[in-house]
Amino acid sequence: GAGVSQSPSNKVTEKGKDVELRCDPISGHTALYWYRQSLGQGLEFLIYFQGNSAPDKSGLPSDRFSAERTGGSVSTLTIQRTQQEDSAVYLCASSPTFSSYEQYFGPGTRLTVT
Amino acid sequence: AQTVTQSQPEMSVQEAETVTLSCTYDTSENNYYLFWYKQPPSRQMILVIRQEAYKQQNATENRFSVNFQKAAKSFSLKISDSQLGDTAMYFCAFTWFAGSRLTFGEGTQLTVNP
């Protein structure tokens, strides 16, 4: 079946603009994660959705970052008033259930803030 | 807090030879899961192998095997009969229960030379 997909693949934006990054998890997967991969910070957890439960937002670096998951499927990560330090690859992963430890990753979105 | 350390930023190996990538971690948990992920230039994170901490037997997956030393908090990856397609960034990762976030090491860039 289809894997995790993310769009766009690459995004270049000007400092101060808002951006939206999209993640389509594997069909039927109830858990969804966002991670950020940057040169200075490595791979960092951002946010976790599990079914209809309140998301774990503890990894979001600032209040400029937010995410939602509609209908328990597609997720959108929004970054407001982008800064140059937001430049990174944003990875999405999904998992079959909250009891599964295996996460399946998408190809990521490379965000460049100029 | 859990931490994962990979002390080898870069490694290289000749095709068909064996290479070992190192990983250490720190946790106060007794039960947890460890993973090695591979990230080729396509950015797609691919699970290579996983180990449950409660299992004493080292995990193996074809040419990939681990040396899990729980007391030493060490989790190394051995790649046998290296192939050109093994060239990638390798990340060691940790999670303490299913459905939780992954904590990643800094990564080791492996190059397999012909």
Side-chain angles (χ1 to χ4, degrees):
Chain A
V4 177
S5 62
Q6 293 186 245
S7 60
S9 179
N10 294 282
K11 175 74 176 178
V12 180
T13 190
E14 293 180 353
K15 178 181 173 181
K17 300 284 189 183
D18 297 352
V19 295
E20 287 188 350
L21 312 179
R22 177 186 169 106
C23 172
D24 281 272
I26 294 172
S27 178
H29 281 198
T30 59
L32 187 147
Y33 307 78
W34 283 97
Y35 296 88
R36 179 171 71 174
Q37 185 175 19
S38 56
L39 282 176
Q41 302 296 324
L43 269 156
E44 311 170 89
F45 164 80
L46 296 177
I47 188 168
Y48 162 55
F49 294 90
Q50 172 51 52
N52 295 321
S53 302
D56 175 0
K57 304 179 181 179
S58 60
L60 294 179
S62 77
D63 58 8
R64 295 186 296 105
F65 288 73
S66 63
E68 64 177 16
R69 189 177 184 192
T70 55
S73 182
V74 172
S75 177
T76 302
L77 178 68
T78 301
I79 308 173
Q80 296 178 312
R81 305 180 303 281
T82 52
Q83 304 293 314
Q84 287 187 331
E85 60 263 28
D86 299 334
S87 295
V89 173
Y90 290 82
L91 293 168
C92 175
S94 70
S95 188
T97 71
F98 70 91
S99 60
S100 172
Y101 49 74
E102 190 155 335
Q103 297 183 21
Y104 299 82
F105 283 81
T109 294
R110 180 178 296 280
L111 175 67
T112 303
V113 182
T114 61
Chain B
Q2 286 77 12
T3 60
V4 178
T5 302
Q6 294 177 248
S7 59
Q8 306 153 315
E10 298 179 352
M11 292 194 71
S12 63
V13 63
Q14 292 299 122
E15 194 175 7
E17 295 190 345
T18 295
V19 63
T20 298
L21 309 184
S22 301
C23 172
T24 58
Y25 58 94
D26 187 25
T27 182
S28 57
E29 304 292 334
N30 188 47
N31 292 320
Y32 47 87
Y33 305 90
L34 295 161
F35 308 87
W36 279 98
Y37 278 89
K38 167 185 176 180
Q39 187 181 41
S42 66
R43 297 198 306 246
Q44 186 88 44
M45 294 280 280
I46 302 164
L47 179 64
V48 175
I49 198 165
R50 62 176 176 263
Q51 175 82 41
E52 293 89 344
Y54 64 87
K55 291 186 178 179
Q56 293 185 340
Q57 187 173 6
N58 289 325
T60 62
E61 287 287 342
N62 301 313
R63 298 183 295 109
F64 299 88
S65 61
V66 299
N67 183 5
F68 173 49
Q69 301 291 326
K70 191 172 184 179
K73 297 181 181 176
S74 171
F75 183 61
S76 61
L77 174 69
K78 186 172 81 171
I79 306 174
S80 303
D81 186 25
S82 297
Q83 300 176 0
L84 297 178
D86 295 334
T87 292
M89 182 74 84
Y90 286 81
F91 291 95
C92 179
F94 169 102
T95 189
W96 59 97
F97 62 89
S100 178
R101 70 187 71 175
L102 291 168
T103 299
F104 290 90
E106 304 90 337
T108 297
Q109 175 63 50
L110 176 67
T111 301
V112 180
N113 299 308

